[in-house]
Amino acid sequence: MFRPAKRPSIVTGLNALGRGCELLGARIPLNEASLVRAARRQSGLHGFADESFREPLRVLLDSLEREARLHPLGRFIIRQSLVRALVNRLRMERAFDLHPEIGECSVAAPVFIAGLQRTGTTLLHRLLACEPALRPLMSWEALNPAPFPGDPQRADGRDPRMGPAEMSEKGLRYLAPEFFAIHPVEAHAPEEDVLLLDLSFWSPTAEATQRTPSLSRWMEATDPIPPYQLLRKILQFLSWQREGRWLGKTPHHLEYLDALFSVFPDARVIQTHRDPLRVVPSFCSMISHGRAIFSDRVDPKEVADHLARKAVRTVTRSMDFRAKHGENAFLDVSYADLVADPLKQIRRIYDFLGLPLAPETERTMQTFLTRNPQGKHGAHRYQLEDFALDRTRLARDFEPYCSRFDVPAEG
């Protein structure tokens, strides 16, 4: 059965202090008015030209208060991240006002790596990020897509936004060092562009790190087009800062291909595939460890019930989309093939994208593979039984997907 790692003593002490303060009526506020005031104060900006964020923010806050079971430090971290998202919205809107040319920036033929979680998307993303013509989202940009005002890039090329990202990485390593064996979150590495959807507050980041079932249901029933339109605007903003053909990566896109191609009609998608009986428990382990950073009460069976359903829904929707719209925009990559010979799959991808693979770039990729072997941050151990998952039922639910893409069982 899943067991979260033991907390550092200072974290236990801070939570005890926080609970004492809560008993006295001093609880870290998670309400719309307080967050907006804090964002306006931190940014020095006041007007939200686009207030479409308010409804999803309210749904998220309601879910956090009623369902997430956050401990005091978790509340503090969540508050900081929500205020940061609002600050970045304000700064981005200000930048568009001052520089209307941002709206003319092209996001032509973007590349998105998608596939169920734990199918090699991170490895593939970081290999393709070695290509100079492609433009990935860096972790320090994901944290703050908007440049800090009045704080220009230094002569050595170091962006001031790198500092807070490095502190965040150190904080995560302290709070949950075991998480890096599951998914390394490194300040100077490429990161998932799904984090940019955090600015819309219609984002799977919440359900990945907190228990928010009502938010998840609301998202599934809500039009995804507006958040994806905001994503395109953010990509224009980032392209204005640093050009290149966009290289995105997130499993989330697989569930919303209709919205993705509605907003990015010339997109190219690389879909990764792996045995779901390995994928689902691995994903459950990742989410359980992530939620344990913010809460003392993580129910692994509850996590598994939600994620197994979500994974089936995701592959079913993606197959329906591909059957309806055709295969020309997709390239399928097997996890087994990727792990066995990464550069062979890279060459397939370059042909698909119409890119020349320079010898120097291939050498850079090989150096990355040498320096980042599987298990570099430790072993990630998990099994179906940890999450009370039914092997027979999972195999039955995923049979259409495995048959469609000839996904082999890993044993």
Side-chain angles (χ1 to χ4, degrees):
M1 182 61 70
F2 165 79
R3 291 286 185 273
K6 184 178 180 181
R7 297 192 189 284
S9 57
I10 191 171
V11 174
T12 303
L14 286 172
N15 278 329
L17 178 62
R19 290 188 180 97
C21 292
E22 289 178 354
L23 290 173
L24 297 174
R27 198 180 196 202
I28 295 169
L30 287 178
N31 61 76
E32 180 185 359
S34 172
L35 296 174
V36 169
R37 280 197 305 271
R40 286 171 169 163
R41 183 171 60 250
Q42 287 186 23
S43 67
L45 303 170
H46 295 273
F48 286 100
D50 175 10
E51 297 207 346
S52 61
F53 70 89
R54 289 188 179 270
E55 181 184 4
L57 177 60
R58 289 166 188 159
V59 175
L60 169 58
L61 292 174
D62 177 70
S63 184
L64 289 172
E65 288 288 15
R66 292 190 300 104
E67 302 165 333
R69 304 184 291 222
L70 300 172
H71 55 54
L73 182 59
R75 289 183 69 89
F76 173 79
I77 297 172
I78 294 301
R79 176 181 168 82
Q80 297 301 108
S81 66
L82 294 175
V83 171
R84 183 175 63 246
L86 290 169
V87 167
N88 274 277
R89 282 188 71 105
L90 286 165
R91 288 175 176 166
M92 185 174 72
E93 289 182 2
R94 178 63 170 164
F96 269 82
D97 288 341
L98 294 175
H99 304 279
E101 69 273 16
I102 299 175
E104 302 301 319
C105 288
S106 173
V107 187
V111 181
F112 295 100
I113 301 169
L116 287 177
Q117 293 82 355
R118 323 305 297 156
T119 59
T121 56
T122 298
L123 170 61
L124 192 53
H125 190 212
R126 294 189 177 186
L127 282 173
L128 288 175
C130 297
E131 168 55 53
L134 296 176
R135 199 276 194 225
L137 175 72
M138 303 306 290
S139 187
W140 56 267
E141 291 178 303
L143 201 63
N144 285 290
F148 295 158
D151 200 358
Q153 182 170 295
R154 294 176 4 181
D156 61 3
R158 179 178 170 82
D159 192 292
R161 290 173 288 177
M162 294 176 180
E166 290 163 353
M167 290 298 296
S168 292
E169 178 185 339
K170 290 178 182 177
L172 181 58
R173 287 186 184 276
Y174 180 75
L175 289 172
E178 74 285 352
F179 194 79
F180 283 75
I182 307 173
H183 177 72
V185 182
E186 299 164 317
H188 296 282
E191 193 48 87
E192 294 192 15
D193 53 348
V194 72
L195 296 177
L196 299 176
L197 287 172
D198 289 358
L199 271 65
S200 70
F201 303 103
W202 184 95
S203 171
T205 302
E207 69 176 4
T209 51
Q210 297 103 45
R211 179 181 180 271
T212 53
S214 62
L215 173 69
S216 298
R217 291 191 297 270
W218 180 83
M219 285 181 59
E220 290 177 5
T222 304
D223 182 7
I225 295 292
Y228 271 88
Q229 290 172 331
L230 177 63
L231 175 62
R232 182 181 183 88
K233 183 175 180 179
I234 299 171
L235 297 193
Q236 289 181 307
F237 186 35
L238 291 167
S239 297
W240 176 68
Q241 298 171 47
R242 179 164 57 90
E243 295 181 343
R245 183 177 178 182
W246 185 257
L247 174 64
K249 172 260 186 181
T250 181
H252 179 73
H253 294 322
L254 195 63
E255 187 175 358
Y256 293 99
L257 291 173
D258 279 306
L260 182 75
F261 278 92
S262 175
V263 176
F264 304 98
D266 57 349
R268 293 294 178 267
V269 173
I270 303 162
Q271 184 173 347
T272 50
H273 302 277
R274 186 185 182 187
D275 180 4
L277 269 66
R278 295 290 291 172
V279 167
V280 173
S282 179
F283 186 30
C284 290
S285 174
M286 183 179 81
I287 296 305
S288 296
H289 280 282
R291 290 187 180 183
I293 297 172
F294 301 91
S295 174
D296 292 324
R297 292 183 288 168
V298 178
D299 182 341
K301 186 179 185 306
E302 183 180 57
V303 170
D305 289 344
H306 171 65
L307 295 184
R309 180 189 67 82
K310 182 179 179 68
V312 172
R313 178 175 182 267
T314 294
V315 296
T316 301
R317 292 188 65 174
S318 66
M319 288 190 295
D320 290 345
F321 179 88
R322 291 179 63 163
K324 180 179 179 181
H325 295 278
E327 303 290 332
N328 290 340
F330 292 85
L331 179 71
D332 297 299
V333 174
S334 160
Y335 173 82
D337 292 342
L338 178 63
V339 172
D341 192 343
L343 292 180
K344 180 178 180 180
Q345 297 308 307
I346 288 293
R347 295 183 193 103
R348 289 183 62 228
I349 292 167
Y350 269 68
D351 289 343
F352 170 65
L353 298 178
L355 289 173
L357 178 55
E360 181 180 353
T361 301
E362 190 167 352
R363 287 193 295 271
T364 301
M365 291 179 176
Q366 185 59 64
T367 298
F368 171 84
L369 290 169
T370 301
R371 292 177 177 174
N372 297 275
Q374 194 168 28
K376 174 183 177 180
H377 297 281
H380 177 204
R381 295 184 175 87
Y382 56 90
Q383 53 187 353
L384 286 164
E385 292 72 20
D386 292 341
F387 302 94
L389 289 163
D390 185 320
R391 182 180 298 272
T392 301
R393 179 178 177 180
L394 273 182
R396 182 182 67 245
D397 289 346
F398 281 102
E399 195 280 331
Y401 163 73
C402 291
S403 296
R404 166 66 181 82
F405 294 105
D406 194 23
V407 180
E410 291 187 28

